[in-house]
């Protein structure tokens, strides 16, 4: 057998092996059990469990000083900041699930900046997944920079 023929036979065998591997992966994906979009304990965020509901339902009304200590700002400042960036950080609800409200997005970001906790620590406290918190923190910080840079920071 000449060299060119051997090369074509070997390349054909390699191509067949690659195609078999791809087909096996696809079959494995089809047979794989799908994960839930959200863990059950994370869904209880809106039921009144977690730090964010404690913040809005109890600390705000019963102990304003603890509220101020928690977010490092009072409610008036929080609301003023929220009105400045609300349109940017607000997300739309879908048929699959409700979005996280902009006040909770801001509160999570402020708590992250105030405490220095990891996203995982905040996940257990707020019942928002750590990957979502990382996105929220980046979006809210960008919105704060966009809206407050010209007014409050001189470059």
């Amino acid at each position: 057998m000449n060299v060119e023929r051997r090369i074509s036979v070997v390349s054909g065998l390699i191509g067949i092996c690659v195609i078999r591997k791809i087909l096996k992966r696809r079959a494995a994906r089809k047979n794989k059990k799908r994960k839930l979009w959200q863990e059950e304990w994370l869904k209880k965020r809106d039921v009144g469990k977690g730090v964010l509901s404690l913040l809005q339902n109890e600390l705000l009304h019963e102990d304003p000083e603890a509220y101020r200590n928690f977010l490092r700002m009072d409610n008036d400042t929080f609301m003023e900041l929220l009105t400045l960036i609300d349109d940017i950080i607000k997300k739309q609800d879908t048929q699959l699930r409700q979005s996280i409200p902009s006040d909770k997005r801001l509160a999570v970001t402020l708590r992250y900046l105030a405490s220095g906790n990891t996203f995982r620590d905040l996940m257990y406290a707020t019942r928002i997944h750590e990957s979502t918190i990382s996105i929220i923190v980046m979006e809210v910080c960008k919105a704060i920079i966009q809206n407050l840079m010209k007014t409050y920071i001189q470059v």
Side-chain angles (χ1 to χ4, degrees), residues 26-153:
R26 285 186 182 170
R29 282 187 202 151
K30 286 182 181 179
N31 294 334
K32 186 178 178 183
K33 186 178 178 183
R34 292 274 183 184
K35 288 186 176 182
L36 296 174
W37 273 45
Q38 195 175 28
E39 299 291 334
E40 288 299 318
W41 65 273
L42 289 173
K43 290 180 183 177
K44 296 177 185 171
R45 168 185 337 125
D46 298 326
V47 182
K49 297 183 177 182
V51 172
L52 296 177
S53 62
L54 168 75
L55 179 70
Q56 291 180 336
N57 297 336
E58 294 180 34
L59 291 182
L60 178 60
H61 303 294
E62 296 174 15
D63 193 355
E65 189 58 35
Y67 179 91
R68 188 181 194 296
N69 185 42
F70 188 78
L71 290 180
R72 303 295 194 261
M73 66 177 60
D74 60 357
N75 188 47
D76 294 335
T77 308
F78 178 83
M79 294 309 289
E80 182 181 339
L81 181 59
L82 183 61
T83 55
L84 290 172
I85 64 172
D86 187 43
D87 294 336
I88 298 173
I89 65 171
K90 188 187 314 180
K91 299 293 180 185
Q92 198 171 25
D93 291 341
T94 65
Q95 291 179 346
L96 298 176
R97 59 182 146 187
Q98 292 181 335
S99 64
I100 299 169
S102 54
D103 60 334
K104 291 186 179 184
R105 298 169 72 83
L106 178 59
V108 167
T109 302
L110 292 175
R111 185 63 191 157
Y112 171 73
L113 296 172
S115 68
N117 287 350
T118 63
F119 293 145
R120 178 150 302 193
D121 288 341
L122 288 172
M123 175 179 73
Y124 294 119
T126 60
R127 295 179 185 261
I128 300 173
H129 197 272
E130 62 185 318
S131 61
T132 306
I133 291 175
S134 69
I135 294 168
I136 288 172
V137 167
M138 292 302 294
E139 288 175 353
V140 172
C141 287
K142 280 182 184 178
I144 290 172
I145 289 169
Q146 283 177 346
N147 283 351
L148 303 180
M149 181 92 156
K150 297 173 188 168
T151 309
Y152 295 102
I153 300 174

Side-chain angles (χ1 to χ4, degrees), residues 20-32:
R20 280 186 180 172
K21 226 179 211 182
I22 291 170
L23 292 175
K24 282 183 182 179
R25 284 184 190 160
R26 285 186 182 170
R29 282 187 202 151
K30 286 182 181 179
N31 294 334
K32 186 178 178 183

